[in-house]
Amino acid sequence: MARDRERASFVAVRRFGLGARPGEIVALRDDPRGAVLAQLQPRAGLLASSDLPSTVEALRRYWVYIAEVKRLREAEPPKPMAAAAPNSPSTAAMSPMPAPMPASVPEQLHRGEFEARLDRQLSTTTPMVERLVNFWSNHFCVASRKGPMLRTVAGAYEREVVRPHVFGRFADMLSASAHHPAMLAYLDNNVSIGPSSKVGQRSKKGLNENLGREILELHTLGVEGGYSQADVTALSAALTGWGFAGMTAKSGEPGTFLFSPERHQPGPVRVLGKEYAQGGADQAEAIFEDLARHPATARHVARKLVRHFVGDQEPAGLVARLTRVFLDTDGDLRAVSSALVGSDEAWRAPPAKVLPPWDFLVATGRMLGIDWRFGEANRMLSLFGQPLWNVPFPSGWPDDDDAWAAPASLLELLDAVAALARRNAGDRNVPRLADETIGAFLHPETRRTIERAETPEIALTLLLMSPDFLRR
Amino acid sequence: MDPVLHSRRGVMTAMGTLVASAVIPRVSIAAPGRDPRFLFLFLRGGLDGLAAVAPVGDPHYEAARGGLDLARTGENAGIPLDGTFVLNPNMPFLGSLFRNGEAAIVHATASPYRERSHFDGQDVVESGLGGVGRVDSGWMNRLIGLLGSQERIGRHGGLAIGSSLPLLMHGPAPVVSWLPPGYPPVKEDLRMRLLDLYRGVDPKLAASYEKALELNRAVGGEASVEKVVAEAMKAEKPRGAALFRYSGLAAGNLMARDDGPRIATMSFVGWDTHAAEGPVGGALGRTLESLDAALEGLAHAMSPVWKDTVVVVATEFGRTVRMNGTAGSDHGTASVALVIGGGVKGGRVIGDWPGLGEADLYEKRDLRPTTDLRAVLKGVALDHLGVDRRRLAEIVFPDSASVDPLRGLLA
């Protein structure tokens, strides 16, 4: 019994956590499962600070910034320093002095948000909450590669769309996501125009199905969820007019959701066989409500959660059970998360998932007390292919067990870890560190390997590269 | 980070990261006796084509480009190409290839994309589609799918090395990727100890790790990395150039091998020159110098197979013709593409020159595109790799039936 609890305490900090901080195991030992369940409190996901501007404020600063950059660029080109004769060799060499550019607001805000998230996850005592934030942020991902506006608001998007709803209703997170300027811009809905709408008839522009399709394929029903192209087109038509007020908007506060009737495709739409009457923004909202409680959505979400937390080998029955909870509670994500944490299968299944780069950074930081700073953390994430809030595709980061164990990643990771160990090993007792943080999951062979290492630095390198540390 | 390794990675990110992806199919469609290799080098950020290859003979050039113009004579003069164009003086290696007839320049070329977003512009180039749309695979992957279908995939097939694959290479065909090292390599002994541990505890990690070691040896091993970094530190040239040369060397070493990849891509960033562009002595000048060094490294490593190699260099869009208020240029439309290799019929600047007069410009601000980038790529795929026209228009570049392959790029 004691051994089971011992093992469970390590499951708690790894499978349902962000890696153990020193002493974390001891605090969990009496009731690991209860300790994780106790983290799942309605407001536990929130992250706010006076340094972190809201979406509206971030966009206001962004627009001021781009207006200033535009003004500078459109200014009279600076004259070369000396009036050189035409064709003289000096014209090209004497680059004119450019006007000083203002500090980049997208970069400043990105950095502030990045550090706030990292600090939270390095120090949190409710790591399962943060794991769920990361999961849902990836489910409803946006990417700053779309452009500087996305980089400006991606952090605020996560704090305003994901964090408040991590233990709320799925429908509310879905709706919040689709109303947010970040998602509307990322998946082009702000440029989608109903062909028969006032603007559509005038401009001959039309539908952009990007958001409509991804809501069906990625956010709700899933790719095998039984929808057709006609459903995509219909949802996209219902979403026309969904945008946000810009800097010079005639109506609405800049940076907030704005429904524009002149862009909205008039008429009823039919999605999954059900007709939704002509309306304004409420037309798509009604579709969302139905999508959010559709059995395919429940199954899609349940399966994704199980694969994320347990592994590609889904324990039989667990997905079905979470699906049932999702449907019975109208998508109450606290109930669904609790069912996952409360399941015996999730506590029994062997470690499977290789840590993604973000989680690797956080886990090493928690284990060794490394206070990762933006520059180095950001560089590591880029190098290992997981820059924060910058997924390559709307489908989010890959989540297969071995997705982050590609050959060159491992070799490069070894080099990076060796550098990290050089700075952090000191005279640590690495075998004891392993016992305290990996414990019951430390393979005897791994333990022997690190015991045999001639220096703490080499021992720590091997420990951080060991399957026991890399898989959870 | 330690200072040394920090600067290695630091220089690379400052100058632009470089990722190479590669597949290793045996190309069997092309003519017997040939073993063609093809590399697509993607310049992300929007290359100022008028600063790379300057139309100094255009009567409107100086007036239109004032402040970003290259000199015709003197120490910063461009490298003469023909009666109209000079090459940026930071690219002497490309200049020598051009003189040897191994580099052709296609000017005023653009993908079908006509807006000005990097994100969408890169997606269009990478997807090979006729415009912005839903994308799940890249044209290079679909090309590989056609090439690999008749032959076994080489020993390394299915290997995915490195961080993230570019969209160009996404798709069902097996792809290998490789990333130049960013940290000093650990000692061989430590590597082997980890291999033993993986073999004993986690066979899946062991298999992946063994592939990494194998590929690492194929690239030339870590000794060369250390040497290059050491040389870069004392080099007179910008260190970025020396490191890019290394990346070119390493990718070239891999591609030149008998069992190496035949189709590969690399990306460079750092072309988004909105401010203080400095086409000769400034930021862009240094970036072009690095590109030239990467090409030199590549050509050097691939010299044994150079006659069967074609390298295409392209970007997502060009830049505004006129200099902006911050001594840079903004997102534009047409730019240049380079076609390089031992078998290329080079020494030519190809394409209808649209001119730089006020009325010639696209939307009164950009170089007007006269050659579709897909025509260049289709020409190479057809004449170098032997892919038939129908499949090029249907599979590799859908929506491109009306875009004729540019023929005659190869000698």
Side-chain angles (χ1 to χ4, degrees), chain A residues 136-364:
Chain A
W136 288 111
S137 185
N138 193 49
H139 185 81
F140 289 107
C141 62
V142 295
S144 57
R145 66 179 287 263
K146 180 77 174 181
M149 182 219 144
L150 262 293
R151 196 161 176 86
T152 303
V153 295
Y157 167 84
E158 183 177 279
R159 286 186 297 107
E160 294 170 12
V161 166
V162 176
R163 287 183 175 274
H165 301 295
V166 165
F167 301 118
R169 287 172 72 234
F170 176 80
D172 293 337
M173 200 187 306
L174 170 66
S175 173
S177 152
H179 281 84
H180 194 279
M183 184 59 82
L184 290 164
Y186 175 48
L187 295 180
D188 304 315
N189 204 73
N190 55 336
V191 298
S192 181
I193 294 167
S196 318
S197 69
K198 231 188 222 171
V199 174
Q201 288 183 320
R202 207 168 53 221
S203 66
K204 287 189 246 157
K205 288 186 177 158
L207 281 189
N208 182 310
E209 296 181 349
N210 209 356
L211 179 61
R213 180 183 303 278
E214 303 304 19
I215 285 175
L216 293 174
E217 176 182 322
L218 302 173
H219 300 164
T220 62
L221 305 176
V223 69
E224 286 153 11
Y227 60 90
S228 66
Q229 175 55 42
D231 296 319
V232 171
T233 307
L235 175 56
S236 302
L239 281 167
T240 49
W242 286 49
F244 54 92
M247 182 170 45
T248 55
K250 287 188 219 86
S251 57
E253 187 188 357
T256 59
F257 175 78
L258 181 68
F259 178 77
S260 157
E262 310 86 69
R263 298 158 79 95
H264 183 64
Q265 175 72 5
V269 298
R270 181 172 284 277
V271 177
L272 299 177
K274 179 172 167 184
E275 184 162 296
Y276 297 86
Q278 166 156 351
D282 54 341
Q283 190 181 35
E285 278 159 6
I287 301 172
F288 285 175
E289 281 294 329
D290 289 336
L291 287 174
R293 52 171 68 103
H294 195 284
T297 300
R299 201 160 41 238
H300 177 53
V301 166
R303 183 154 186 267
K304 205 167 159 182
L305 270 168
V306 169
R307 291 176 72 95
H308 181 77
F309 282 96
V310 182
D312 297 352
Q313 304 294 320
E314 309 152 13
L318 184 52
V319 173
R321 206 150 65 243
L322 294 195
T323 304
R324 179 49 45 208
V325 172
F326 188 104
L327 291 171
D328 288 349
T329 62
D330 199 18
D332 178 339
L333 297 181
R334 189 180 178 202
V336 175
S337 308
S338 300
L340 172 69
V341 175
S343 73
D344 291 340
E345 297 98 315
W347 293 83
R348 272 201 308 263
K353 315 294 289 187
V354 171
L355 296 176
W358 172 270
D359 297 66
F360 182 85
L361 271 186
V362 172
T364 53

Side-chain angles (χ1 to χ4, degrees), chain B residues 9 19 76 125 142 144 163 203 226 293 308 318 336 343 345 376 404:
Chain B
R9 176 56 53 183
V19 179
N76 289 306
V125 171
R142 298 193 299 271
I144 290 157
S163 49
E226 285 175 333
D308 285 336
V336 289
K345 204 165 130 196
V376 179
D404 282 331

Side-chain angles (χ1 to χ4, degrees), chain A residues 438-450:
Chain A
I438 300 172
F441 290 96
L442 192 66
H443 196 283
E445 173 124 7
T446 305
R447 197 167 205 292
R448 269 197 302 279
T449 302
I450 56 178

Side-chain angles (χ1 to χ4, degrees), chain A residues 69 71-80 86-101 143 145-147 186 188 208 210 213-214 217 352 354 372 376 379-380 382-386 391-393 397 401-402 404-412 414-416 418-420 422-423 443 445-447 449 452-454 458 461-462 465-468 470-471, chain B residues 1-2 5-6 9-10 13 44 62 66-67 69-77 117-120 122-123 126 132 134-136 159-167 170 177-186 189-191 193-194 196-198 200-202 204-209 211-213 215-216 222 274-282 323-327 330:
Chain A
V69 169
R71 190 186 65 76
L72 287 169
R73 283 183 190 158
E74 286 174 359
E76 206 41 31
K79 294 278 175 285
N87 298 342
S88 95
S90 62
T91 41
M94 301 272 283
S95 283
M97 286 298 286
M101 293 296 268
R145 66 179 287 263
K146 180 77 174 181
Y186 175 48
D188 304 315
N208 182 310
N210 209 356
R213 180 183 303 278
E214 303 304 19
E217 176 182 322
V354 171
W372 289 108
E376 187 173 358
R379 214 163 25 245
M380 289 269 278
S382 302
L383 179 60
F384 293 108
Q386 198 187 30
V391 290
F393 299 102
W397 299 114
D401 288 354
D402 288 339
W404 298 102
S409 304
L410 286 179
L411 202 53
E412 186 69 16
L414 172 59
D415 293 342
L420 188 153
R422 204 168 302 138
R423 284 170 301 146
H443 196 283
E445 173 124 7
T446 305
R447 197 167 205 292
T449 302
R452 256 188 246 136
E454 53 274 38
I458 292 173
T461 303
L462 289 164
M465 289 304 294
S466 70
D468 323 58
L470 289 182
R471 284 198 201 274
Chain B
M1 297 286 120
D2 297 351
L5 66 100
H6 200 152
R9 176 56 53 183
T13 47
R44 294 174 189 273
E62 271 168 33
D69 50 325
L70 301 188
R72 288 173 197 254
T73 56
E75 107 189 70
N76 289 306
S117 145
H118 293 300
F119 176 86
D120 290 337
Q122 291 177 18
D123 273 7
E126 296 185 67
V132 180
R134 187 180 158 74
V135 174
D136 48 22
L159 197 60
I161 292 186
S163 49
S164 50
L165 279 183
L167 172 59
H170 267 267
S177 78
W178 168 82
L179 187 73
Y183 293 85
V186 301
D189 165 65
L190 185 52
R191 282 194 177 154
R193 254 192 273 183
L194 187 62
D196 284 344
L197 177 61
Y198 284 173
V201 178
D202 194 322
K204 278 160 82 186
L205 285 182
S208 178
Y209 184 67
K211 278 187 187 167
L213 293 172
L215 198 71
N216 190 56
E222 294 285 358
H274 284 288
E277 177 167 326
V280 178
M323 183 169 80
N324 67 19
T326 52
D330 297 321

Side-chain angles (χ1 to χ4, degrees), chain B residues 48-74:
Chain B
D48 186 351
L50 294 170
V53 181
V56 295
D58 185 298
H60 302 288
Y61 170 68
E62 271 168 33
R65 277 251 110 182
L68 294 175
D69 50 325
L70 301 188
R72 288 173 197 254
T73 56

